[in-house]
Amino acid sequence: MNGFLFDQRNQKHANMSSKTDDNGKEIPEKLYDSSTDKTYRRMRFFGKGSFGKCYEIVDIATNEVYAGKIISKKLLMEYNQKGKMTQEITIHRSLNHVNIVKFHDFFEDNYNIYIVLELCKKRSMMELHKRRKSITEYECRYYIYQIIQGVKYLHNNRIIHRDLKLDNLFLSDMLYVKIGDFGLATRIEYEGERKKTLCGTPNYIAPEILNKKGHSYEVDIWSIGCIMYTLLVGQPPFETKSLKDTYSKIKKCDYQVPSCLHKSAADMVISMLQSNPSRRPTIDQLLRFEFLSSSPVPKFLPSSCLAMAPRIEAKEIDHDVPNQKMALIEINLVQYNDTRLEYTFLKTNLHDAITASAYFYQDNGDFRSDLKGLYQQLTTLIETKPRILPGNLDDENTDPAAQPLVWISKWLDYSDKYGFGYQLCDESIGVMFNDTTKLILLPNQINVHFIDKDGKETYMTNTNYCKTLEKKMKLLSYFKRYMTEHLVKAGANNVNPETDQISRMPHLHSWLHTTCAVVMQLTNGTVQFNFSDHIKIILCPRMSAVTYMDGKENFRTYRFLTIIQHGCCKDLYQKINYAQEKLGEMLEKLFF
């Protein structure tokens, strides 16, 4: 990129607009690249960054879908970031690796720079972290191996990323890791060069950057260590309530490795998180650590892992044994009491009040904690008395990344005889029987999970199952047939059917009828209210967000903090108030 052109070539499209950019100008609905004669249509809003916004964009001629970063030139000039943007584009466009977000093109007009990138529909690993907190070592091995491969490619090309973090690691449809955002990346010009720029993100920044002693490739190794720790433990190794304290802990290399981590995982983390950069392994040496070399790295993960732990570790599946049956187990799930905050703290600060309650999800089986955390979040929101708006907030105040991955698209109450049936947005079918046992038919319409009264899970298929379950399997098929033939699906989600043996879907934990709604709580903490006026709200405590689905099945997802700051429409506010009241009643019944 040879500077900014500031030409008039896109001005003929300026009247085709509906969104305002950071220059106060309208973002065109059609984005025209005169150098390639391509026109893109701006579609869904994805998110906002420091200097611009991100949208889904579609090549009108080919219907190919991309992510489009629209960056304000005015803000770049105001903050003297022109050179930084030039360097980011120069570096990123030179890269080509399966584990790096593909750079397709860039162009500009008088007001914005438009960067066309590979679209990663499963968002970033930060959303995975928020929904899951800690993941299994089996999954961590999968993600870390791919991160290392991407960084190895960068280092081989003399590039340091310098901002590796969960927010900058994106996931494709197949859950392949894609390293993105090269805004802080730099190129090593000669052997032994040490960079002096103070840059990075607090929870991931290496001590030599803070100490201003000069840094090189080793800062990426440190960041990978922070990422691996965060994925396995559920929180960053040096995280505190203040930036000063975090930096102090980093400089002292002051962190604790939980004893529950297996030695191979702990050894690898410790090797990367060393104050002296020369003692850290190189990117090639990381691949030889026991954590990655002693067990096969998974070749894939099902998308269900975004919401739930996989069913079992792959090494426990013997693919040569036909019709294998085995108990479903949770792997590597750890409760960390030090992150369970007292509710008295939640009222001291609005941001803390909303975000801190997300820490109540370490104990995956404690559904009372799920409800309690969500109730506190809604209570905090209501106590701030947000503004009531005449209509919905605009798209740029929504947060599509916080939209629930799984929700109930159909339900059927036949509890007067058998139980409560439902279909999830991914086509899986479940029944909660009156005796509190459950059956779940996975999206591939083959694998079936049975949960007994004590919560023990058993795996089977729709043709090979325990004969004592024959009646319930028939009832499951009846519920499925009725919902398929007679009920309209709400908010269809385009999720590909799972065909593997390790998928594990969230399922219905509890439900109840109220005077004007059906309330359904899933095992991943999500609580859904289907109101009699056909409005639906889906409350996601781990993302601290509400999804508002109107009668036309339009989705709008708002962070609770956004509603506190900007308000919401009257109908949504009333629904949130109702939900908070009913959650309070549910908690009273659970605790008293």
Side-chain angles (χ1 to χ4, degrees), residues 22 42 47 66 69 75 173 249 253 268 273 286-287 329 381 429 510 512 527 537 539 547 574:
D22 292 299
R42 177 174 48 77
Y66 304 96
K69 286 178 68 173
L75 290 181
D173 277 356
K249 287 173 71 72
C253 204
M268 187 165 171
L273 298 183
L286 284 179
L287 292 170
I329 60 170
L381 186 155
I429 302 286
S510 59
L512 74 150
V527 180
I537 63 170
L539 300 159
T547 295
Q574 289 175 338

Side-chain angles (χ1 to χ4, degrees), residues 354-369:
I354 294 298
T355 57
S357 49
Y359 287 110
F360 282 90
Y361 305 101
Q362 301 297 334
D363 184 355
N364 290 272
D366 189 353
F367 299 103
R368 292 182 298 181
S369 293

Side-chain angles (χ1 to χ4, degrees), residues 49 64 96 130 156 288 330 336 394 435 437 506 560:
E64 291 180 278
N96 183 21
K130 287 181 178 179
N156 287 346
R288 297 196 286 271
E330 291 279 358
Y336 298 100
D394 60 26
D435 64 359
T437 62
F560 295 146

Side-chain angles (χ1 to χ4, degrees), residues 19 45 48 387 389 392-400 556-563 565-567:
K19 304 296 178 187
F45 173 72
K48 184 185 295 187
R387 285 186 300 157
L389 306 174
N392 290 317
L393 290 166
D394 60 26
D395 287 348
E396 291 175 10
N397 279 306
T398 65
D399 193 340
R556 286 178 173 270
T557 299
Y558 304 105
R559 298 274 185 178
F560 295 146
L561 279 173
T562 300
I563 294 175
Q565 293 166 357
H566 301 289

Side-chain angles (χ1 to χ4, degrees), residues 5 7-14 16 28-42 57-61 66 68-69 89 93 103-110 112-117:
L5 301 181
D7 66 335
Q8 301 294 324
R9 63 191 181 188
N10 280 8
Q11 296 315 298
K12 62 181 178 179
H13 298 283
M16 295 183 293
E29 181 183 327
K30 292 184 179 179
L31 314 175
Y32 179 66
D33 180 2
S34 62
S35 63
T36 60
D37 197 30
K38 287 184 178 181
T39 302
Y40 302 90
R41 185 181 299 278
R42 177 174 48 77
I57 60 173
V58 179
D59 186 323
I60 290 178
Y66 304 96
K69 286 178 68 173
I89 291 176
R93 72 190 302 195
F103 186 104
H104 287 279
D105 204 354
F106 83 97
F107 54 99
E108 59 186 301
D109 60 21
N110 268 11
N112 299 305
I113 299 169
Y114 304 90
I115 301 178
V116 183
L117 300 169

Side-chain angles (χ1 to χ4, degrees), residues 397-427:
N397 279 306
T398 65
D399 193 340
Q403 182 174 308
L405 298 171
V406 178
W407 61 90
I408 293 171
S409 57
K410 298 179 183 180
W411 61 271
L412 176 61
D413 181 7
Y414 209 176
S415 56
D416 58 337
K417 283 192 174 181
Y418 305 115
F420 188 92
Y422 60 94
Q423 177 177 295
L424 296 180
C425 58
D426 62 359
E427 309 293 344

Side-chain angles (χ1 to χ4, degrees), residues 571-588:
D571 186 58
L572 176 56
Y573 185 71
Q574 289 175 338
K575 297 290 193 285
I576 288 174
N577 264 281
Y578 185 83
Q580 187 261 3
E581 177 186 332
K582 294 305 170 186
L583 289 175
E585 293 175 5
M586 292 166 66
L587 284 170
E588 285 184 8

Side-chain angles (χ1 to χ4, degrees), residues 49-61:
S50 301
F51 302 104
K53 296 160 186 172
C54 186
Y55 290 86
E56 177 184 57
I57 60 173
V58 179
D59 186 323
I60 290 178

